[in-house]
Amino acid sequence: MVPRVVFGKGSFNQLGQILSPERKNGAPFIYLIDNVFENNKTFIEDRIHLSGNDRLVYISTKEEPKTSQVDELVSEFRNAYSFTPSGIIGIGGGSIMDLAKAVAIMMNNTGSATEYQGWDLVDNKAVYHVGIPTISGTGAEVSRTTVLTGPEKKLGINSDFTPFDQVILDPELIKEVPKDQWFYTGMDCYIHCIESLNGTYLNAFSQSYGEKAYDLCEEIFLENTLDKEEADAKLMMASWHGGMSIAYSQVGVAHAMSYGLAYVLGTKHGIGNCIVFDKLGDYYPEGVALFKKMKEVHNIELPTGVCANATEDQLDIMASVALGLVPLWENALGKNWQEKINADTLKAIYRTL
C-alpha cells in the first residue's frame, strides 16, 4: 500500500514541504510532467519549488508508455548525473503515473524494463517516487503495477516496489479535464469495480474497497446531482478505492481485451476499456447495462468501426496478447478459464468493435 497520502483542495501547494526531507546530498528531483501543461506553466510549473539541479521533463501522452521510453529516460538520467536522483515525481494521468513508477524502479535495477514485465521480478527497491494525478479513474496512483507496452507484449511491472512512496490528491488539478476524457477515465474506475466484484479473486478486503468505489461511481456518473467541485473530489476517492480493490484482487475480460487492442492499434487505455466493455453483456450483464445508462446520461458516443480494417494477423495478435494475461482470465472465469474462452471467441468480439 502507498504509505503516505495527502488529500484536499490546494494540497499540491505542499509539494515543496513534502519533498524537502527526502532530498539526498544535493541529488536532484526529476519531475515527469504531462506535456498538456507545457503551455500552462502557471498551473503546475510555477508552483514547483525547484532547487539545485532539479529537472522538469515534459512527456507526450499521445501514446501509452513503452519499455523503450523507460529505458531511454533511465539512460539519459544516468548519463546526466553521477549519483542517483533524490526522487522521481510524476504529474499527470495514468500514463505519467506508470512512467514515473517504471523509471523509479529502473533507476535502481539493471537491464531493460522488458525484463521486469510480469509479477514479482524486481530485485531492488525503487528510488523515492511521488504520484500527483491530474485526472482520476485509472487507479495508477495506488496500484502495484506500471503498465508498459514492450516489443512483444503489453504487461505491467507488478511488484511490491512499484507503488508510490507518496501520493498527493488535489481535486483542483482535475478541474480542467475535457468531458469525454473525464468520462472515459472515470469509466476505467467503474470497470475496475465490476471486474473485481464479479471476479473469483474477490476477498473481503478487495470487496470493501470495490463496493465503495462502485457507490461513488453511481453517484458521480448516474445520479448526476453533484456540482463539479464535489464530483472531482469524489472521483479522486473512487479512483483510489477502485485501484485498491484491484490491487488485492484483479481485473478481468475488458482489461485483457483492451490490452490487446492497445498493443496492436495503439488505442488509449480508458477509451479502449469503454469500447470493449460496451460489448461484454454476456460476461457482465448488470455492469454493462448500467454503463450504457451512464453513457446516455452524459451524452457519450463511443467510436465505432475501430477494428473494421484490422487484418486477420492483427486480430490473432490482439487475441494472443489478451489471452497471455492469465491472472485476469482466472479472476474473470475461474481456474478452468481455458475451457470457456479461446482466440476465436475474442476475435469475434474484436470484429464488433
Side-chain angles (χ1 to χ4, degrees):
M1 297 173 68
V2 174
R4 292 177 179 272
V5 186
V6 175
F7 172 81
K9 182 179 178 181
S11 57
F12 180 63
N13 296 326
Q14 298 177 41
L15 179 60
Q17 179 185 352
I18 289 168
L19 295 182
S20 180
E22 304 297 333
R23 190 175 293 277
K24 310 299 183 187
N25 300 319
F29 284 107
I30 298 174
Y31 298 81
L32 305 181
I33 306 175
D34 190 326
N35 72 348
V36 70
F37 298 112
E38 196 164 7
N39 296 321
N40 186 14
K41 295 184 178 181
T42 56
F43 191 55
I44 295 292
E45 189 173 321
D46 289 355
R47 296 159 70 186
I48 296 173
H49 302 289
L50 298 179
S51 176
N53 53 357
D54 288 353
R55 183 171 176 184
L56 302 177
V57 182
Y58 285 98
I59 305 288
S60 171
T61 56
K62 287 184 178 180
E63 295 183 346
E64 295 192 325
K66 292 182 169 60
T67 54
S68 58
Q69 184 181 20
V70 174
D71 293 344
E72 288 169 6
L73 286 170
V74 169
S75 177
E76 179 183 343
F77 299 150
R78 284 177 176 161
N79 291 333
Y81 306 106
S82 58
F83 35 73
T84 303
S86 291
I88 306 295
I89 319 301
I91 304 175
S95 292
I96 297 296
M97 297 292 101
D98 283 344
L99 194 62
K101 289 187 285 187
V103 169
I105 287 171
M106 294 309 302
M107 290 302 301
N108 274 349
N109 287 273
T110 60
S112 167
T114 59
E115 300 171 41
Y116 300 91
Q117 285 182 282
W119 282 264
D120 300 308
L121 301 176
V122 180
D123 296 320
N124 301 315
K125 187 178 186 297
V127 301
Y128 176 78
H129 51 308
V130 177
I132 307 172
T134 61
I135 189 169
S136 286
T138 69
E141 65 275 14
V142 68
S143 76
R144 74 186 296 272
T145 188
T146 167
V147 181
L148 302 172
T149 300
E152 297 180 1
K153 55 194 171 186
K154 179 178 179 181
L155 183 61
I157 299 176
N158 296 266
S159 81
D160 287 340
F161 300 131
T162 305
F164 287 110
D165 297 293
Q166 171 82 56
V167 168
I168 298 174
L169 300 175
D170 185 343
E172 276 192 338
L173 299 181
I174 70 172
K175 65 182 180 181
E176 302 296 337
V177 175
K179 182 178 179 181
D180 281 6
Q181 190 177 8
W182 172 83
F183 182 86
Y184 296 142
T185 312
M187 287 300 99
D188 190 14
C189 174
Y190 172 72
I191 294 166
H192 287 164
C193 301
I194 299 300
E195 293 183 322
S196 175
L197 293 172
N198 288 278
T200 64
Y201 285 10
L202 187 67
N203 54 73
F205 199 91
S206 60
Q207 184 174 0
S208 65
Y209 279 103
E211 287 177 346
K212 182 59 180 177
Y214 179 89
D215 290 344
L216 287 167
C217 285
E218 278 198 313
E219 186 177 1
I220 296 162
F221 293 104
L222 195 60
E223 296 175 14
N224 204 26
T225 57
L226 302 173
D227 64 33
K228 184 65 165 61
E229 188 172 313
E230 288 179 302
D232 287 345
K234 291 195 173 189
L235 183 55
M236 278 200 148
M237 287 297 95
S239 178
W240 182 271
H241 284 74
M244 287 294 292
S245 182
I246 62 170
Y248 287 89
S249 57
Q250 255 300 348
V251 285
V253 180
H255 275 75
M257 293 191 67
S258 177
Y259 283 7
L261 198 65
Y263 182 79
V264 175
L265 301 182
T267 308
K268 297 278 283 187
H269 182 69
I271 192 170
N273 276 340
C274 290
I275 292 168
V276 172
F277 191 70
D278 196 55
K279 305 294 185 180
L280 297 183
D282 289 345
Y283 299 93
Y284 306 107
E286 293 180 2
V288 172
L290 195 61
F291 169 74
K292 291 180 183 294
K293 288 183 180 178
M294 292 175 176
K295 282 196 307 174
E296 185 178 344
V297 167
H298 293 279
N299 298 312
I300 299 296
E301 293 286 340
L302 293 178
T304 59
V306 174
C307 292
N309 297 317
T311 66
E312 196 65 23
D313 285 345
Q314 287 178 314
L315 291 170
D316 285 337
I317 295 171
M318 287 183 202
S320 176
V321 168
L323 291 171
L325 297 164
V326 174
L328 280 65
W329 293 106
E330 284 189 353
N331 180 52
L333 303 175
K335 292 287 186 181
N336 62 338
W337 65 272
Q338 289 174 308
E339 299 172 12
K340 302 177 181 180
I341 199 79
N342 56 44
D344 288 338
T345 302
L346 293 190
K347 288 195 291 183
I349 297 172
Y350 279 128
R351 289 189 185 101
T352 69
L353 304 183

